[in-house]
Amino acid sequence: MTTGARLLWALLAAVAVVTVGVAPASQSAPAPQLGRNIKVGVVDTYSGPPAVFGNDALNGFRLAVNEINREGVLGARIEFVTRDERFSPEIGLSVARELVLQERVDVLVGTINSATALAISAFARDQRLPFIVWISKSEAITGARGHRYVFSTGENTAMAGKALAEAMARRPYSRFWLAAEDYEYGHAITNSFWRFMKRIKPEVILQGQTWWRTGEPDLVPYLTAIASARPEAVFFGTGGAGMTNVLRAMKTTGFSDRIPSMIHTAIDHAVLRPLGAGAPEGVMGTIDYLFYHPDTPANRAFVQAFQTAYGGPPGFPAFHAYNTAYFIAQAYRKAGALDREKFIDALEGLRIDSPVGRIEMRACDHQVVLPLFLGVTRRSPRFPDFLVATDIQTIRGEDVMPTCDDIRRARGQ
Amino acid sequence: MDLSALASQLLVGLSRAMILFIVSAGLSFVLGVLRVPNVFHGSLYMIGAFVAFTIAAWAGEPALGLALAIAAAPLVVALVGLVVERTLLSHLYQREHLMLILFTFGVMLILNDVVKLVWGADYRSILPPAALQGMASAFGLALPRYNALLLGAGPVVAVAMWLFTHRTRVGTIARAAAVDREMVGVLGIDVSRVFALAFVVGCYLAGLGGALVAPTTSISLGMDHTIIIEAFLIVTIGGLGNIWGALVGSLLFGVTQSVGLLVWPQFAVVFPYLATVIVLLARPTGLLRSVW
């Protein structure tokens, strides 16, 4: 070895010593067992009205990833890259393709848009790459069009529809009106509700139905037309901006004071907060996460951490995304390797401790089992700035989920 | 069918038509005088709603907040319009329409991002004062109180526009420029200033529409897309550049939608567009005389 080479080696050794010396403790740990970091590709809507949900989910995910990375996953860390699908299945599919083929992500997560979720799901199956859906609620995702590579960490329209129908069936109404937004989720939730309603209470009558196009800004004419038909109760199938528009129009027309109204996610904080005192009271709704309920140490800790990081309480997308990160971390710990098939095997039936308690990724359909909360919008002295859900009833996830046999039938197996 | 329900629904449709009229009158005026198909007109409407939100939130008290918002938000939007017109648009009047559409489309994308930067992606809403919430009934007809206010606002704007175009010098020149702008220039009139003013008036109307609609809807990104498509359809069926055409088009659009909801709720979405198709098949240049 020449003097120059020896000098170079000495220099390198010195640099290495210095680097290791100043590096944080986590990086001086034994060699990573996973070999490299876990790379997650996030596809969601970060522009236009649904961005409020996409951003909430991303915040929840980021919070969990930061917590997880403090101790790491088998010596590795979780990294993620995000792409804006702009609420379009075409864009969603093309960015998912880019994340898989160019960024070489290990797992895809995301999407608020159910149509995008289904498009990426088909792509993930072809690529044999795990895809975890965290906001989209169409039951087709883990139902009829489910497969080995797709998972859902949120409740879906089958669960919500059944929970809502069971709640409505206990009330003395039989003449119903269905009013919904004309898109994948609007159809899925409305069909699910009505399917269960007819099954639970066969004497119900569908008096009429109204569909409005996505983005319809003024729903007052729709509500006045429905009100003049005098149905006994109305089920609304909408979410996001459509939801806030419906609630605004309800307040303007006093609709919910006169006709019992029910909407899945009407009691969602992301919906009620921006409306402030402009939200109507007395609307029945369901959701799988409320930052003020259950009032447990785990939920309080999650809310506190989220509030400190982002200045406001988490919504249901943040809750789903937070759990998604923990499912990913736990599954890799269990799998012990960056292997897609082993990851999926590990995720099937996996249980984690979420802010609302132990939740499970059901093995037969890859649908998370978590509780739903049924409540009614009301003013509360505890929160003067916005309405909250009151009279909250907890519905167990396993009671409203389709059975594994139902799923097999739906998938034609 | 219940006759009073039909009448109430007709009134709701008319009140919705008033918002459409205010916005599309602005679009039509700019189209007529400047010959600019202003694609970012919808963005100005959205900005009007967001500014109205900010003003109302700042004022706190709902009645005062709403009054201030409706008075001041359109002025802010008019100012935005003035800046865009003076710095950019005024240099481009000679370009062909396709270029102007591309340019105004570009401005729409920019303004959309500006709104996102300033107000974020959250939904906003304005709570109208208690006196304007709920339903009002008179002569057996029920109508949301706020929509009754809108019913009054439309005619006020229509009359104001008529007075402006027929009773003021600038308005008359603007009207003349709409018919023959070379001739107006030949007469030695500073067309540039007239154009600037006409553009600002158009923007003001977009902002006014946004401020008026704000308490009835959730103020959010994307409200620009919906309105601009409807406004262009209305202007087309009414007759390009003709403000009264915008009025007729808005009434047709609003009323077919609301009455359609009563008659055939499942397919009500289709009615306004069906009406548009029928009008354009029968009268390809619109119901009233187009100034183009």
Side-chain angles (χ1 to χ4, degrees), chain A residues 46-47 49 51-53 209-211 213 215-218 221-222 224-225 228 240-241 244-245 248 251-253 274-275 278, chain B residues 5 9 12 16 116 121-123 125-128 133-135 144 215-218 221 226 230 257 261-262 265-266 269 273:
Chain A
Y46 299 111
S47 53
V52 63
F53 296 93
Q209 47 184 316
T210 307
W211 293 87
R213 76 199 153 100
E216 177 62 51
D218 186 1
Y222 291 77
T224 50
S228 67
T244 39
N245 279 340
R248 279 316 277 115
K251 181 78 174 176
T252 308
T253 55
L275 290 169
Chain B
Q9 194 64 14
V12 171
R16 167 104 182 97
K116 201 164 134 190
D122 285 359
Y123 306 111
S125 87
I126 295 179
L127 183 67
Q133 292 176 22
M135 302 291 275
T216 71
T217 185
S218 69
L221 295 168
T226 327
E230 290 180 349
Q257 186 205 34
L261 276 167
L262 208 58
Q266 238 178 310
V269 181
Y273 300 97

Side-chain angles (χ1 to χ4, degrees), chain A residues 13-281:
Chain A
V15 169
V17 167
V18 170
T19 315
V20 171
V22 298
S26 64
Q27 288 185 1
S28 61
Q33 292 135 285
L34 283 182
R36 63 172 172 82
N37 287 341
I38 302 158
K39 192 158 182 184
V40 179
V42 184
V43 180
D44 218 333
T45 301
Y46 299 111
S47 53
V52 63
F53 296 93
N55 288 329
D56 189 51
L58 189 59
N59 285 342
F61 187 68
R62 192 181 286 130
L63 182 70
V65 165
N66 288 342
E67 289 172 6
I68 291 163
N69 283 347
R70 255 175 246 145
E71 58 170 303
V73 181
L74 300 183
R77 292 154 57 86
I78 297 180
E79 295 172 357
F80 63 91
V81 280
T82 63
R83 293 289 183 273
D84 186 0
E85 54 117 10
R86 287 183 268 156
F87 212 69
S88 148
E90 291 79 27
I91 299 173
L93 190 56
S94 81
V95 294
R97 185 167 288 147
E98 186 253 333
L99 285 174
V100 173
L101 302 177
Q102 276 161 39
E103 293 285 338
R104 307 223 164 257
V105 297
D106 299 299
V107 185
L108 279 173
V109 299
T111 77
I112 175 165
N113 186 333
S114 289
T116 307
L118 288 167
I120 296 179
S121 169
F123 170 69
R125 184 180 47 199
D126 294 344
Q127 292 290 320
R128 298 176 173 275
L129 182 104
F131 170 45
I132 307 176
V133 179
W134 66 24
I135 308 181
S136 305
K137 298 180 188 300
S138 173
E139 66 203 64
I141 295 167
T142 54
R145 291 163 74 180
H147 50 82
R148 176 168 167 81
Y149 298 92
V150 69
F151 294 81
S152 166
T153 51
E155 95 297 3
N156 66 23
T157 52
M159 299 164 72
K162 191 173 178 195
L164 291 159
E166 282 181 348
M168 211 38 140
R170 283 196 294 272
R171 290 171 171 77
Y173 314 126
S174 55
R175 221 161 9 86
F176 280 82
W177 196 284
L178 304 178
E181 192 164 334
D182 190 6
Y183 70 134
E184 169 74 27
Y185 170 71
H187 285 275
I189 187 78
T190 309
N191 293 341
S192 169
F193 168 76
W194 193 243
R195 194 174 69 229
F196 286 111
M197 202 67 214
K198 278 193 300 192
R199 194 179 298 172
I200 301 166
K201 197 174 177 180
E203 65 270 29
V204 289
I205 300 160
L206 178 59
Q207 192 185 349
Q209 47 184 316
T210 307
W211 293 87
W212 67 84
R213 76 199 153 100
T214 310
E216 177 62 51
D218 186 1
L219 294 171
V220 168
Y222 291 77
L223 295 190
T224 50
I226 295 169
S228 67
R230 297 198 179 83
E232 284 176 357
V234 181
F235 177 85
F236 289 90
T238 182
M243 170 76 78
T244 39
N245 279 340
V246 156
L247 293 177
R248 279 316 277 115
M250 278 187 175
K251 181 78 174 176
T252 308
T253 55
F255 189 88
S256 51
D257 301 334
R258 289 175 294 153
I259 301 171
S261 306
M262 177 174 249
I263 324 178
H264 179 47
T265 74
I267 57 174
D268 177 20
H269 181 63
V271 167
L272 293 175
R273 181 185 38 77
L275 290 169
E281 288 191 278

Side-chain angles (χ1 to χ4, degrees), chain B residues 32-33 35 172-182 184 191 194-195:
Chain B
V33 180
R35 303 289 157 102
T172 316
I173 296 169
R175 212 152 40 92
V179 179
D180 190 341
R181 64 167 143 180
E182 281 80 15
V184 175
V191 189
V194 174
F195 277 14

Side-chain angles (χ1 to χ4, degrees), chain B residues 12 17 60 102 108 111 119 135 142 158 160 189 195 247 261 271 285:
Chain B
V12 171
L102 284 176
M108 181 187 93
L111 289 180
W119 285 280
M135 302 291 275
I189 293 165
F195 277 14
L247 182 59
L261 276 167
F271 287 106
T285 56

Side-chain angles (χ1 to χ4, degrees), chain B residues 18-87:
Chain B
M18 290 305 116
I19 294 280
L20 292 174
F21 162 64
I22 292 168
V23 177
S24 52
L27 184 69
S28 192
F29 190 60
V30 170
L31 254 174
V33 180
L34 286 78
R35 303 289 157 102
V36 174
N38 184 8
V39 182
F40 69 85
H41 198 71
S43 315
L44 297 169
Y45 162 87
M46 176 167 72
I47 293 173
F50 273 100
V51 172
F53 160 77
T54 302
I55 294 172
W58 170 79
E61 204 277 315
L64 177 73
L66 185 64
L68 275 179
I70 292 173
L75 293 173
V76 175
V77 174
L79 192 68
V80 173
L82 182 67
V83 171
V84 175
E85 200 277 341
R86 284 292 89 181
T87 54

